[in-house]
Amino acid sequence: MSDQGSRHLRFGTRTIHAGVKPEPVTGAIMTPIFQTSTYVQPAVGEPLGGSYDYGRTANPTREALEANVASLESGTHAVAFASGLAAIEAIVKRLSAGDHVVSEENTYGGTTRMFNKVLSRLGIEFTYVDSREPGAVEAAMRPNTRLVHLETPTNPMMRVADIAAIAEIAHAGGALLSVDNTFASPYNQRPLEMGADFTVHSSTKYINGHSDVIGGVLAVKDPELAEEIYFLRKSTGAVPGPMDCFLTLRGIKTLHVRMRQHNENGLAVARYLEAHPAVDRVFYPGLESHPQHELASRQMTGYTGMVSVDVGSLARAKAFTEHTRIFKLAESLGGVESLISVPALMTHGSVPADRRAAMGITDGLVRLSVGIEDEADLLEDLERVLSGG
Ligand SMILES: *Cc1c(COP(=O)(O)O)cnc(C)c1O
């Protein structure tokens, strides 16, 4: 679904209003949850609105969410899915056996698992590169490369890829570029503005932001590409339910306010940890010490609440993550509450050990999803555990 009407409004206003119209019967300001599987048609083959024939094909709650995300990502259309992985899968399912994909190597663990264990069995080939170096992407391109897939910043190493430079490389080689924008959120980074063809989210994370929905959404700026993705979703079926679309749309209304606080708290936690003697290294693109800070500040306007640190060993990582009180030990990220995890044993447990090591995911790596609680409470929680206070 697209929403051209609110194009002139600023980001924070669009989070609340883009794609959302008062319900026509009562004027209800909140988009209703159209919890229906089918629609009554006034005449054979003439569904209302031209499209309301079946819930997998069309749903007004879902369409409002999609129009909103399309606007926030500076796209023309967005398509919502049952999960982030279903959205990424749809992008790859445009391809056919014999086609080739170049992917950043340090993506979300589940993305790598899907590429390696499911989609590669269908005859699609994947090459993994360190996309911090655009030349590595260029070198991996083949005549049959049809997609370059980035994630920036990456999970959990916070590597940053130059979206504009890699868009040029992908297009010169006849491929499209997709960017997993989950970690940044459209508040901080809008890949379509930098030349990407797809921007894709696990809306489970910052977009919904309240840790109560699994969802995915992608946005494009080409109506023909949108048609292809609608067709794929309709034909394969990974649609989100109306209730989840409603909750996600409600969560989005505070995206700009939440992200400002995530950015502020994330930076404060990163600075605190960088100065702490119990921490060997901090990975956060907002720190001047991050090797790609300059690139990050060129293509992002904030650095989110995702911070990774190396505390030296698995024993120390466990001692750290099992004793914080406000930071809860859990997978996932991007919600209002702070979470802490050990990627090697949790989110990236399915990535082979040698690949983990190559990416720098040591056993002592700890990932923090800094929430929007009061900064002083978060710092005190970390101080108590790290300094044994
Ligand atoms: C969580 C996540 C995914 C997968 O999304 P689901 O909603 O869990 O399917 C993909 N990419 C990134 C960066 C993620 O953090």
Side-chain angles (χ1 to χ4, degrees), residues 83-85 88 108 151 155 180 182-183 202 204-205 214-215 333:
S83 71
L85 283 181
I88 297 169
Y108 175 74
E151 190 176 304
N155 174 10
D180 186 329
T182 301
F183 263 44
S202 168
T204 312
K205 318 293 170 51
I214 296 287
L333 61 110

Side-chain angles (χ1 to χ4, degrees), residues 225-247:
L225 212 45
E227 278 310 315
E228 274 188 49
I229 298 289
Y230 284 131
F231 176 79
L232 273 165
R233 184 186 59 179
K234 178 171 82 173
S235 307
T236 58
V239 289
M243 180 73 189
D244 284 354
C245 292
F246 172 84
L247 286 170

Side-chain angles (χ1 to χ4, degrees), residues 131-327:
S131 64
R132 284 176 295 188
E133 192 41 69
V137 175
E138 194 160 24
M141 297 291 290
R142 300 185 195 159
N144 59 339
T145 305
R146 296 206 41 219
L147 180 72
V148 175
H149 180 73
L150 299 180
E151 190 176 304
T152 180
T154 65
N155 174 10
M157 298 310 295
M158 310 300 156
R159 292 176 174 181
V160 180
D162 187 331
I163 297 171
I166 294 173
E168 274 187 32
I169 292 167
H171 294 157
L176 298 187
L177 174 65
S178 67
V179 178
D180 186 329
N181 201 28
T182 301
F183 263 44
S185 89
Y187 180 76
N188 288 318
Q189 175 172 279
R190 287 174 297 281
L192 298 181
E193 292 177 2
M194 291 177 257
D197 302 284
F198 296 97
T199 171
V200 59
H201 287 271
S202 168
S203 48
T204 312
K205 318 293 170 51
Y206 284 119
I207 294 252
N208 177 56
H210 293 73
S211 310
D212 52 11
V213 170
I214 296 287
V217 63
L218 64 80
V220 297
K221 57 191 178 192
D222 171 359
E224 274 178 37
L225 212 45
E227 278 310 315
E228 274 188 49
I229 298 289
Y230 284 131
F231 176 79
L232 273 165
R233 184 186 59 179
K234 178 171 82 173
S235 307
T236 58
V239 289
M243 180 73 189
D244 284 354
C245 292
F246 172 84
L247 286 170
T248 306
L249 192 55
R250 182 163 96 153
I252 283 188
K253 290 179 197 290
T254 55
L255 180 68
H256 55 308
V257 183
R258 287 187 282 110
M259 291 317 301
R260 285 203 275 272
Q261 200 61 45
H262 282 296
N263 289 347
E264 208 176 298
N265 287 358
L267 188 59
V269 164
R271 287 214 169 109
Y272 163 80
L273 291 169
E274 185 170 47
H276 202 287
V279 173
D280 296 345
R281 277 194 73 184
V282 178
F283 304 90
Y284 187 72
L287 291 176
E288 289 75 16
S289 60
H290 189 285
Q292 296 172 287
H293 176 65
E294 193 267 325
L295 169 62
S297 49
R298 230 187 308 137
Q299 67 184 18
M300 302 175 76
T301 52
Y303 309 99
T304 84
M306 297 308 298
V307 182
S308 291
V309 298
D310 200 325
V311 294
S313 70
L314 182 58
R316 290 173 70 184
K318 285 188 75 169
F320 183 13
T321 55
E322 289 174 355
H323 293 100
T324 48
R325 289 181 194 149
I326 299 175
F327 284 87

